[in-house]
Amino acid sequence: MFTKLQRFHFEKRTCWYLVHRVQATPGVGSLQALVSLPELDRQASSHFFFQAQSSTLFKLVRDKYSPREHFWRWLGRDIISKRLTGSYDAYKEFTSRRILQKLGQNTVDVRCYGVALNFLNPLGSLYAMERLDGCVTGSAHFEALDEPGRTAFIDTLANQVIELAQAGYYHRDLHLDNLLIDAQGRLVWIDTHVKALPSSAKKRGALLDRMLANSRINDAAYRTRLRVRLAPWF
């Protein structure tokens, strides 16, 4: 891995990022010849672009606050707490991915990640990863399964979440659209933000309630099955 200042061209603008290159992939050094992916934008708080030359998916995270509307919150949370301390979204996602990798769970290869140098650039975090072909979202895969297949899927999902909990972590945003299913039927985590499990049993219980409510598993019976499997670890 190496670090460099990198200029990117996108949305008719030129922006500079301090970039940590993980893979020396040709063509990743420029956000040119990109296709915007608004269908992904609608599912997340990020902006997505695809570069066919390098088969790279770029995720750009927008600052939560506007300096014009909420200056002090923008300065404190988006600039000081994230960019200046190095705790911006792309860095957290990269370090979280390494935790999942150590557990033997499948993630997407990362090309590079970085942070905007210009504080007035609202797209402060840049994360570039391989785009996987032949995959479907967890939601689409789950809906297409029969009853035994759905039960097996819930158990597989539970096993991976339990592995993470045994290591002391949980998925910050656990739901079926934050993972893909590849051609071999394996789970591939595409949003890898994890956080340390709180020590308080009350807080862990609230986390489990929130995870199940946001899981995008519409059938109550399968949510209950997932709860039963996860409850001893939360």
Side-chain angles (χ1 to χ4, degrees), residues 103-117:
L103 295 174
Q105 299 187 16
N106 298 308
T107 61
V108 183
D109 286 343
V110 181
R111 314 290 203 204
C112 66
Y113 65 94
V115 61
L117 295 182

Side-chain angles (χ1 to χ4, degrees), residues 12-187:
K12 300 180 180 180
R13 293 188 302 169
T14 297
C15 300
W16 286 90
Y17 287 81
L18 181 64
V19 170
H20 303 273
R21 295 292 294 272
V22 182
Q23 295 182 10
T25 305
V28 173
S30 173
L31 287 181
Q32 294 184 9
L34 290 179
V35 176
S36 181
L37 300 174
E39 68 276 11
L40 293 182
D41 293 356
R42 288 191 293 269
Q43 298 176 26
S45 58
S46 307
H47 298 277
F48 290 88
F49 299 90
F50 176 60
Q51 185 183 63
Q53 176 186 354
S54 59
S55 190
T56 300
L57 183 67
F58 290 87
K59 179 166 73 171
L60 295 150
V61 180
R62 182 174 291 275
D63 290 343
K64 183 173 183 178
Y65 297 104
S66 164
R68 291 184 178 181
E69 298 175 6
H70 303 284
F71 177 80
W72 293 111
R73 291 183 180 179
W74 166 81
L75 180 65
R77 175 160 180 168
D78 291 318
I79 303 303
I80 297 176
S81 295
K82 290 187 176 181
R83 300 199 201 182
L84 292 182
T85 64
S87 297
Y88 52 95
D89 288 80
Y91 173 76
K92 290 179 179 179
E93 185 157 5
F94 179 74
T95 54
S96 296
R97 173 182 173 269
R98 290 194 295 186
I99 293 171
L100 293 174
Q101 279 189 308
K102 288 180 180 179
L103 295 174
Q105 299 187 16
N106 298 308
T107 61
V108 183
D109 286 343
V110 181
R111 314 290 203 204
C112 66
Y113 65 94
V115 61
L117 295 182
N118 181 355
F119 291 165
L120 296 181
N121 175 3
L123 300 176
S125 169
L126 181 149
Y127 193 76
M129 69 196 98
E130 177 189 10
R131 178 163 182 176
L132 299 180
D133 295 322
C135 296
V136 297
T137 65
S139 291
H141 177 78
F142 187 74
E143 290 300 320
L145 293 171
D146 58 15
E147 185 173 347
R150 290 185 178 186
T151 298
F153 177 86
I154 291 296
D155 289 344
T156 299
L157 176 62
N159 288 339
Q160 295 205 9
V161 176
I162 289 170
E163 284 181 347
L164 186 60
Q166 288 175 320
Y169 300 94
Y170 71 96
H171 289 278
R172 187 187 68 176
D173 192 16
L174 178 69
H175 62 72
L176 295 188
D177 288 326
N178 273 342
L179 56 90
L180 297 176
I181 311 301
D182 66 13
Q184 289 74 44
R186 299 177 302 178
L187 276 64

